[in-house]
């Protein structure tokens, strides 16, 4: 593409989050704008194909409004920032999430490939538009997928120019990509993405870019890879995760008691599957069934806490990684003298679809947790905040919780008696055998209530087998 000023810009700067609708999708509202750079070589024009490298799955589009700087800006005030903008146009901030892990934060390879920043097709004179009166629209294959306005931006355009100019001199021709609204998602070869910016009767026209297959990447560097977390991030609000646990299996585990599961696991040579020392927080008696997602705490070390315990630490990441059906299981080294979770993060886990939380440490805000409707099991309650005993260290790793080894993907079942860990490959047969055991126990209970001795009855012995079989026939009629 020919740059508006005839020469490539010295830099292309992109804003992470700016539209409230996108911030809600991401589950966070930044206090200040944050940025990343895209190479000028990533610029392209309308009708130019965006190439998805072979082996990549998650090519994302993001319709955006691009500002083109008209005069040198250095340490300008927010109220003057807009006056340094010469043109406005449409942009598509494309990127492949499959490579985001390789340069997390900088986005160089995921967002900086040749052709990943189309602009155009026409420029709007910034002096003729209201920066708070622009509309951004994006279509994929003719379907409107993004439609938002600039009157509620978290960071108005003039503020962005001023903020950047505090430390970075903006030169004529520099481009600022101002963020994308909700609706950004994934496209595939054969799709067509169109972006338009309007202000009343003025329009940039539609920036049209087909998606096409690119060549494979040479194997001497980071190669594409993706996981469920990246898919969820890439697809945004359009992401519909596959169920973590088959509903029939979940219902089966929910239909039997934890005590029965524990007995059947013990009978299979697995006597250490209970999470010892945890009790329901304000339980209403509902069973908890889900798939383990793990968080590991390590003992507090003051010189490492700032690095590992602050900001978007492992505790917060674990909550943001929760998928519908997950049970967040925490290894707090059985230390109940400090809180490991409070009501706000528990609420966030609930909103993300968590099936429950288990910690062998303490929780804080116990009364509020009890009112959330989220099953929570803990070793106790404690008023402390994070940092008294623990450092949140990592997520998605095998942990010890209440003396039980828990791997990500294990099945977690809880009721008023406590919590057990169920190996997924044993779940089907456990349900069958648990139901049979509980059926026998119903028969035994009736006999004891009628005055029978437990001798030869509990557990059910051969002498009582015929009576039990006859009783079963009556129960099924």
């Amino acid at each position: 593409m020919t740059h508006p000023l005839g020469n490539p810009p010295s830099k292309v700067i992109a804003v992470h989050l700016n539209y409230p609708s996108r911030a809600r999708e991401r589950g966070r509202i930044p206090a200040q704008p944050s940025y990343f750079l895209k190479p000028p070589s990533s610029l392209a024009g309308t009708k130019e194909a965006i190439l998805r490298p072979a082996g990549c799955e998650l090519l994302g589009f993001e319709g955006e409004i691009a500002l083109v700087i008209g005069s040198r800006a250095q340490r300008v005030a927010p109220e003057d920032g807009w006056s340094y903008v010469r043109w406005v146009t449409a942009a598509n901030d494309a990127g492949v999430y499959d490579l985001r892990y390789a340069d997390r934060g900088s986005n160089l390879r995921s967002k900086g490939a040749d052709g990943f920043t189309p602009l155009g097709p026409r420029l709007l004179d910034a002096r003729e538009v209201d920066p708070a009166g622009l509309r951004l629209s994006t279509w994929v294959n003719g379907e409107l997928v993004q439609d938002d306005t600039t009157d509620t931006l978290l960071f108005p355009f003039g503020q962005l120019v001023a903020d950047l100019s505090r430390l970075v001199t903006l030169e004529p021709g520099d481009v600022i990509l101002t963020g994308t609204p909700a609706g950004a998602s994934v496209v595939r070869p054969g799709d067509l993405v169109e972006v338009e910016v309007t202000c009343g009767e003025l329009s940039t026209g539609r920036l049209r870019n087909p998606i096409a297959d690119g060549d494979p990447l040479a194997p001497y560097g980071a190669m594409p890879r993706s996981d469920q977390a990246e898919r969820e991030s890439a697809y945004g609000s359009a992401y519909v995760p596959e169920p973590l646990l088959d509903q029939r299996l979940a219902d089966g585990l929910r239909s039997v008691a934890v005590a029965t599961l524990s007995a059947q696991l013990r009978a299979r040579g697995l006597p250490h599957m209970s999470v010892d020392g945890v009790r329901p927080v304000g339980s209403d008696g509902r069973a908890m069934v889900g798939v383990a997602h793990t968080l590991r705490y390590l003992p507090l070390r003051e010189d490492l806490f700032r690095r590992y315990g602050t900001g978007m630490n492992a505790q917060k990441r674990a909550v943001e990684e929760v998928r519908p059906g997950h049970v967040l299981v925490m290894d707090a080294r059985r230390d109940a003298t400090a809180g490991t979770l409070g009501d706000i993060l528990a609420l966030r886990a609930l909103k993300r679809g968590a099936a429950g939380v288990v910690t062998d440490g303490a929780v804080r805000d116990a009364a509020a947790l009890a009112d959330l409707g989220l099953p929570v099991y803990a070793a106790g309650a404690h008023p402390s905040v994070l940092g008294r005993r623990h450092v949140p260290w990592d997520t998605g790793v095998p942990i010890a919780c209440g003396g039980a080894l828990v791997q990500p993907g294990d099945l977690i079942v809880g009721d008023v008696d406590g919590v057990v860990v169920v190996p997924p490959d044993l779940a089907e047969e456990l349900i069958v055998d648990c139901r049979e055991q509980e059926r026998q126990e119903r028969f035994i209970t009736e006999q004891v209530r009628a005055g029978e001795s437990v001798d030869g009855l509990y557990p059910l012995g051969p002498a009582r087998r015929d009576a039990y079989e006859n009783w079963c026939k009556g129960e099924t009629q």
Side-chain angles (χ1 to χ4, degrees):
M1 156 182 187
T2 301
H3 187 262
L5 295 181
N7 296 307
S10 68
K11 48 194 165 293
V12 178
I13 303 171
V15 179
H16 281 110
L17 284 174
N18 201 8
Y19 286 82
S21 61
R22 182 66 163 176
R24 288 192 293 271
E25 271 189 342
R26 291 305 198 207
R28 59 187 178 90
I29 299 177
Q32 301 293 339
S34 62
Y35 312 93
F36 61 94
L37 289 170
K38 299 192 77 171
S41 55
S42 69
L43 291 174
T46 191
K47 299 182 181 179
E48 295 187 51
I50 299 174
L51 302 179
R52 187 183 75 176
C56 287
E57 170 193 351
L58 305 173
L59 173 61
F61 69 88
E62 295 181 5
E64 303 205 13
I65 297 172
L67 311 180
V68 182
I69 298 298
S71 54
R72 199 167 191 260
Q74 189 176 41
R75 293 188 290 276
V76 303
E79 59 269 22
D80 299 325
W82 180 248
S83 67
Y84 288 82
V85 178
R86 182 65 181 87
W87 290 288
V88 174
T89 193
N92 185 350
D93 179 15
V96 281
Y97 284 75
D98 315 69
L99 290 172
R100 194 163 67 152
Y101 77 95
D103 300 296
R104 192 169 294 279
S106 77
N107 293 331
L108 179 60
R109 280 171 282 195
S110 62
K111 289 273 195 175
D114 293 352
F116 273 19
T117 316
L119 301 178
R122 291 192 292 273
L123 302 172
L124 299 181
D125 191 325
R127 296 167 297 185
E128 298 178 3
V129 302
D130 175 6
L134 299 172
R135 178 175 292 276
L136 172 66
S137 304
T138 307
W139 296 262
V140 174
N141 300 328
E143 178 184 355
L144 183 66
V145 293
Q146 291 183 292
D147 188 31
D148 215 329
T149 56
T150 57
D151 55 338
T152 60
L153 291 178
L154 299 174
F155 312 110
F157 296 151
Q159 180 182 343
L160 296 177
V161 173
D163 181 40
L164 288 165
S165 75
R166 294 185 308 154
L167 295 167
V168 178
T169 299
L170 299 175
E171 303 287 357
D174 284 352
V175 174
I176 302 174
L177 305 179
T178 58
T180 195
S185 191
V186 171
V187 284
R188 299 171 180 80
D191 290 339
L192 175 67
V193 182
E194 301 173 282
V195 186
E196 182 181 18
V197 178
T198 57
C199 184
E201 297 298 317
L202 299 175
S203 170
T204 62
R206 291 196 184 187
L207 172 68
R208 293 183 169 91
N209 296 101
I211 309 302
D213 285 310
D215 294 330
L217 294 175
Y220 39 83
M223 299 303 289
R225 75 183 193 198
S226 58
D227 54 27
Q228 291 295 353
E230 289 293 5
R231 290 186 186 95
E232 182 175 353
S233 184
Y235 279 92
S237 60
Y239 181 66
V240 180
E242 296 180 2
L244 284 170
L245 184 60
D246 177 78
Q247 189 61 50
R248 182 182 59 82
L249 194 61
D251 290 344
L253 290 169
R254 194 173 283 109
S255 71
V256 297
V258 161
T260 313
L261 282 167
S262 180
Q264 288 295 326
L265 286 164
R266 188 172 63 254
R268 286 166 170 78
L270 295 171
H272 307 297
M273 305 302 283
S274 61
V275 179
D276 294 340
V278 302
R279 302 294 300 167
V281 178
S283 174
D284 59 4
R286 291 180 304 164
M288 174 186 71
V289 177
V291 178
H293 172 52
T294 60
L295 166 63
R296 181 168 65 129
Y297 287 97
L298 291 181
L300 175 65
R301 214 178 95 176
E302 289 80 358
D303 62 319
L304 294 177
F305 187 79
R306 181 177 294 276
R307 177 179 176 186
Y308 289 96
T310 60
M312 197 64 182
N313 58 33
Q315 179 200 44
K316 293 178 181 176
R317 292 199 308 273
V319 171
E320 291 298 331
E321 290 164 0
V322 165
R323 292 178 57 203
H326 266 149
V327 173
L328 178 56
V329 186
M330 302 182 189
D331 174 2
R333 307 176 336 279
R334 296 187 173 185
D335 187 341
T337 63
T340 58
L341 183 80
D343 61 333
I344 292 176
L345 290 183
L347 176 60
R348 177 61 179 156
L350 177 64
K351 291 296 184 181
R352 290 191 57 79
V357 175
V358 181
T359 175
D360 64 1
V363 294
R364 61 195 301 259
D365 311 311
L369 285 177
D371 291 337
L372 279 182
L374 175 70
V376 176
Y377 291 77
H382 199 282
S384 73
V385 296
L386 190 65
R388 183 172 189 264
R389 299 289 191 196
H390 311 298
V391 180
W393 200 258
D394 50 10
T395 69
V397 295
I399 62 170
C401 184
L405 170 60
V406 181
Q407 295 191 100
D410 280 340
L411 304 182
I412 307 297
V413 185
D415 64 16
V416 292
D417 280 342
V419 176
V420 293
V421 182
V422 175
D425 58 333
L426 295 181
E428 293 274 8
E429 63 181 73
L430 281 168
I431 292 168
V432 172
D433 290 349
C434 283
R435 285 174 171 168
E436 172 58 21
Q437 178 181 330
E438 292 185 349
R439 194 179 194 187
Q440 290 183 18
E441 289 176 354
R442 288 196 300 275
F443 167 74
I444 294 168
T445 299
E446 284 190 16
Q447 300 304 303
V448 172
R449 186 174 288 120
E452 294 285 341
S453 168
V454 296
D455 184 27
L457 177 64
Y458 183 58
L460 189 65
R464 304 293 187 115
R465 180 63 61 175
D466 288 345
Y468 170 64
E469 297 295 343
N470 290 330
W471 177 87
C472 288
K473 293 175 183 177
E475 190 181 51
T476 57
Q477 289 177 356

